[in-house]
Amino acid sequence: MTKSRIAAIDVGNDSVKSIFGELEYELNIPNIVARDTEDRPVIGIEELDSKNPLDGIHIKVHSPALKENNVIYRIGMLATKSNNAAELDPGSSKSEEDQTLVMLFATLALDAVREENKDIFQRTKNVIDANYTLGTGLPLREVKEGKDAGYRSKLMGSVHQVEFLVTPKYQGLKVNIKFGEVKVYPEGFAAYINLVIDNQLKIINKDLIDKRIIIQDIGGLSTDIAVIKNRNVDDDKAQGFNLGVSESLEAIREEIRSKHGVELDSRRDVVEIITKKNDRNHIMVKGSRTSVHDITDRILLDLAKKQYRLLRNVWQKNSQTEICYFVGGGAAVLKEYIKTLNNNLDGYNIDFFEDEKESIWMMANAYYKLITDFVRKTEKPKAVKEPVKS
C-alpha cells in the first residue's frame, strides 16, 4: 500500500511556505521562476553536489495541469539571477497561473527526494513515486468564484513529474507526484483557524471563539477580509480585493532604479530593505549608505490608506465587530503605517502579530492544522477493527 505524506503549502506571492509530515520539515522558497535551457552553465561543475540544492533549483516539469508543458525552469534563488525572472502579476488569478503549479510541484519534489524520505516513497533507480495528502488555499475572491474546484481537479487524478537537471545533490532524479487527497481552503478562513487552534487541534484562544472578528489578510496580489461570526466565516460579508503589496513594491523598486541607478533583483529585495532590523530603508549606492525613506514612506503610506479604507468600509457594515486582526506578509510590511493612521483617525480595535515569522507563516500553519484534522477524521473509521467471527 502506498504511503501518503501530509503536505501543507501556501503558494504566496513573495514565497512558497510549506510544512511536511509530522512538522519535521519546512521549506521557504522565493516565488520566482525563469525559463531556462537543459544545460545551464555552472562554474565548478565537479563541486555542484557540495552546494545547497535550494540555491540551484533547475528542473523540467511535466504535468497535464499546465498550459505550457515540459518547460525547463530555474526556481527560487537561482531564478533571481536571471534576466527573464517572472513573479506573479497584480490582477492575476493564483488558481489559473502555471507559475503557481510549477512552484507547488517543485516544492513537493524537493521534499520527496530527501534522503530522510527514502523509506516513505518507492524508488526505482532514479525515479521516486511520491504520494501526498495536500492542504493548500486560494484567495477568498477565487473561492467565491468557484475556482477552487477547478484547481483541485487539475491536481487530482494525474501524475505530475519534476525532473531535476543541474541541481546540487539531486541531478538526474525524477519525482512522480500523485495526490491521495487535495483540500483547497479559503485564505481568510484559514487565518481564523490559525488564531484559535494549535497544531494538536486544541483551542488556544477561548476568548476569541465567540467574538465577532474581522481578519484582513494582506498578500502580494490580493487582500482577503473575512468576517467571523458564530465561529464561521460569513460568506455573504467576506470579500476579496485585487489589492496587494506587489504593485507598491514594484513601484519602489522602479523609483530606486531611476533615482539611484540601483537595480534590485526582485520585490523580495525591496521587502528586505523595508523590514530589516538594521539600516532599515537604506541601500548602498556606489559603496555609500543611502536612505530611500522618502520613496518607501510615500508609496507605502498611500497603500496603507487604501487598506485602511477597506477596513473602514467593512467595519461600517459589521458595526458589532470587536477586533480586526491584520495578517499576512503585506501586513508585516504595512504595520507601522496602518497603526499610525488608526491612531490619528478612527481608533478601531486592531491587532498585528508582533512575531513577523508567525504572520508570514500563518497560512501554511493553518493549512497544516486543517489537513491534519481531515486525515485524523478519515483514518479513525478505518482503525475500527471488525469483530472476530467464531
Side-chain angles (χ1 to χ4, degrees), residues 1 11 63 66 97-98 104 111 120 132 134 153 189 193 236 243-244 271 283 319-320 344 358 368:
M1 184 175 163
V11 184
S63 167
L66 296 169
E97 294 290 329
D98 269 5
L104 181 78
D111 173 66
I120 299 174
Y132 284 95
L134 175 68
S153 67
F189 172 65
I193 289 294
D236 294 326
L243 180 68
V271 172
I283 59 170
S319 62
Q320 296 310 294
N344 294 335
E358 188 180 345
Y368 183 83

Side-chain angles (χ1 to χ4, degrees), residues 8-19 26-30 94 187 191 194 217-220 245 268 271-272 275-277 326-335 352-367:
I9 302 181
D10 169 27
V11 184
N13 175 68
D14 175 64
S15 66
V16 180
K17 280 78 65 179
S18 50
I19 302 167
E26 59 181 46
L27 267 176
N28 191 348
I29 304 168
K94 194 186 280 190
E187 290 174 352
N194 204 58
D217 175 21
I218 307 172
V245 293
R268 176 168 263 236
V271 172
E272 201 173 302
T275 58
K276 62 186 176 181
K277 296 288 180 277
F326 282 91
V327 303
V333 169
L334 295 173
K335 180 166 70 174
F352 291 79
F353 284 87
E354 298 308 319
D355 181 342
E356 282 180 13
K357 187 188 175 192
E358 188 180 345
S359 187
I360 291 164
W361 278 83
M362 178 166 277
M363 289 301 139
N365 284 328
Y367 301 151

Side-chain angles (χ1 to χ4, degrees), residues 316-363:
Q316 280 176 348
K317 293 170 187 168
N318 300 277
S319 62
Q320 296 310 294
T321 296
E322 294 174 68
I323 189 168
C324 171
Y325 281 96
F326 282 91
V327 303
V333 169
L334 295 173
K335 180 166 70 174
E336 297 309 322
Y337 300 97
I338 291 172
K339 279 183 176 178
T340 301
L341 284 170
N342 191 50
N343 289 338
N344 294 335
L345 296 169
D346 301 318
Y348 290 117
N349 185 18
I350 65 172
D351 202 0
F352 291 79
F353 284 87
E354 298 308 319
D355 181 342
E356 282 180 13
K357 187 188 175 192
E358 188 180 345
S359 187
I360 291 164
W361 278 83
M362 178 166 277
M363 289 301 139

